[in-house]
Amino acid sequence: MKGSEDVLGLSKVKEIIDNFDSIQTWSIHMMRIKGNVNASTSYFCRQIRLVPEESLFTLVTDVKAELVKKTNEVNEVLEFAGTFENSNIYELPTTDESITESCASLVTAIENTDIEKNPFDIKANAYAVIGSLEGKNIFFVFLQNPVKTIKRKYMLTDNGAFKEVNNKILSLGIDADLLIYDGTAYFLSLKAEKVLGLERTYLKICKRHIEEIAQSDILIDITPFENIAKFGCNPRRFMAYSQRNMERLKKKEVRKRIANSFSIPLKNGKFDVANPADAENLVKIICQKGMIDPFDSEAREVSGARKWRTN
C-alpha cells in the first residue's frame, strides 16, 4: 500500500548527503529528456568538462548545501503514491513497475554518454551529476535548461568601451529534482515525475485498474467511471490504488456502508456513478483519498493514508 509509512526514513537520505565529501570523482552530463504519453521516455546524455577542475567540486559542494537545507526543512521520507507535498521527500525502489523502465533507460544513457556532439546542439533540458559512493553510482538529476543565451550584457574592452556579449553559456542550478542511489529513487521535487516520465505510467496503471474494477461487478455501468478515472489528475491517484480495499468493495454490505458514508448512490446493491462527481468520489475512495473525520463523522478528502502511529 503506497504512501502508508516512512519506509527508509530521513536519516538514510541525510547519511547519503553526509558522505558526499568521501566521493573523489564526479562527472557532469548535459541531458535531453524526451517524454511521450504514448511511448517510453528517452534520454540522451553528453558528458562535459568544467575548467578549472575544481569548478565541479564547487558545484557539488553547493548542491550538498542546498540538500542539507532541504532535508532540515522536510518532515519525513514517504513512499511515492502520486501525491507530492513540499514538506516531504518521496521514494520508490527503482524496480517499482511505475519507474523501472525509465530508471534503467536513464542509467544506460548516462553510462553510454556521448563525448563528441556539440553540447549546445543536443537541445538539453536537464543535467546530471554522477559520483560513486561505496562502490555504487549516485545520480543527481536537475530538470532545467542548462543552456542560456546572454542578452543585453556588455563587457568592458581595453579601449574603455563596452562590447555586447551574446554567446550561449552553461548555467547550472543547484536544486536537484531526483536522486538515485542503491536501488532507490528519491523524489526531491515534483519535477522528478517528469524526469521519469510518470505521466505515461499513471495512465497505464489507471487503465489496468479500471479493467479490474469493471470485472469486480461493483458498478451499474463502468463507462462514466472510466471517463472520469482517466481524466485530469485522477490517473495519478491510482498510484495509491488499494487491492485490499477493492476486495472489500466486492461485499454488498461494505458497498452499502461506503455509499452511506460518502453519499454515493446505490442501485440494486451496485454503485451508480452516472453523475461525474460521484464517479470522482469513488476514485478517491478506491485510491485512499477519502476518509471519515473522527470528530463529526463527515467524509473528507485527504492526500493519502498511513498507518496510525502510537508512539
Side-chain angles (χ1 to χ4, degrees):
M1 184 169 65
K2 294 185 178 180
S4 60
E5 56 185 319
D6 188 342
V7 182
L8 293 180
L10 197 54
S11 59
K12 176 65 175 180
V13 178
K14 290 184 175 181
E15 180 183 347
I16 294 171
I17 298 170
D18 288 342
N19 286 326
F20 266 34
D21 296 337
S22 66
I23 301 176
Q24 300 299 314
T25 303
W26 292 92
S27 64
I28 183 169
H29 308 253
M30 293 172 65
M31 300 180 65
R32 181 180 69 240
I33 302 174
K34 187 176 181 180
N36 191 319
V37 175
N38 299 314
S40 301
T41 300
S42 63
Y43 305 89
F44 180 84
C45 295
R46 168 60 159 93
Q47 185 171 355
I48 59 175
R49 192 166 61 93
L50 303 182
V51 291
E53 291 185 3
E54 292 77 15
S55 298
L56 181 52
F57 285 93
T58 300
L59 174 66
V60 170
T61 299
D62 291 342
V63 170
K64 176 182 177 181
E66 196 65 23
L67 287 170
V68 169
K69 178 182 176 182
K70 182 176 183 64
T71 54
N72 287 336
E73 293 174 349
V74 301
N75 295 327
E76 55 191 339
V77 176
L78 300 174
E79 188 172 15
F80 184 66
T83 301
F84 193 96
E85 296 179 357
N86 290 329
S87 58
N88 299 317
I89 290 174
Y90 295 85
E91 69 176 3
L92 279 177
T94 55
T95 54
D96 188 273
E97 64 163 330
S98 63
I99 63 171
T100 184
E101 183 180 353
S102 294
C103 283
S105 296
L106 189 155
V107 171
T108 298
I110 292 175
E111 291 176 344
N112 295 281
T113 188
D114 181 83
I115 57 174
E116 297 180 351
K117 290 184 181 294
N118 185 326
F120 289 143
D121 290 341
I122 70 169
K123 299 180 179 179
N125 56 5
Y127 85 93
V129 175
I130 318 299
S132 180
L133 179 60
E134 298 178 347
K136 302 169 185 175
N137 284 337
I138 181 169
F139 304 84
F140 287 95
V141 182
F142 305 74
L143 187 62
Q144 55 180 264
N145 186 351
V147 179
K148 307 293 182 185
T149 300
I150 298 178
K151 293 182 179 180
R152 297 179 298 280
K153 306 296 181 183
Y154 304 84
M155 62 180 294
L156 184 64
T157 62
D158 293 339
N159 62 10
F162 285 85
K163 179 181 178 182
E164 183 176 9
V165 178
N166 55 10
N167 297 332
K168 288 183 178 180
I169 63 169
L170 200 62
S171 178
L172 305 174
I174 57 174
D175 291 314
D177 300 301
L178 176 69
L179 159 63
I180 299 177
Y181 177 67
D182 194 20
T184 302
Y186 296 92
F187 291 50
L188 305 177
S189 84
L190 186 56
K191 291 195 289 185
E193 69 174 13
K194 292 186 177 180
V195 174
L196 297 175
L198 274 171
E199 288 185 3
R200 170 177 174 266
T201 304
Y202 291 149
L203 190 57
K204 181 180 178 181
I205 292 174
C206 171
K207 289 179 177 178
R208 187 181 74 238
H209 289 316
I210 288 173
E211 292 178 1
E212 295 173 3
I213 294 168
Q215 295 172 7
S216 69
D217 200 31
I218 67 171
L219 293 166
I220 291 292
D221 183 4
I222 188 63
T223 302
F225 178 85
E226 181 176 9
N227 291 339
I228 291 299
K230 292 163 60 176
F231 179 77
C233 65
N234 282 326
R236 69 164 54 241
R237 287 179 168 144
F238 280 85
M239 285 287 289
Y241 176 89
S242 172
Q243 189 65 49
R244 181 167 175 260
N245 287 350
M246 193 62 237
E247 290 300 318
R248 288 174 170 178
L249 284 176
K250 292 179 181 179
K251 299 178 180 179
K252 189 174 181 178
E253 63 273 19
V254 174
R255 292 199 296 274
K256 183 177 180 180
R257 176 165 52 83
I258 293 295
N260 290 334
S261 298
F262 292 92
S263 302
I264 298 177
L266 274 184
K267 184 183 293 185
N268 299 325
K270 299 180 182 180
F271 293 117
D272 181 2
V273 293
N275 185 322
D278 294 327
E280 181 147 356
N281 285 339
L282 186 57
V283 169
K284 294 173 185 176
I285 293 166
I286 293 174
C287 298
Q288 305 182 85
K289 301 295 188 289
M291 299 291 163
I292 299 298
D293 190 301
F295 291 99
D296 56 22
S297 299
E298 290 187 358
R300 304 289 184 190
E301 181 177 350
V302 296
S303 61
R306 286 184 283 154
K307 290 182 179 179
W308 188 260
R309 293 180 178 178
T310 57
N311 53 42

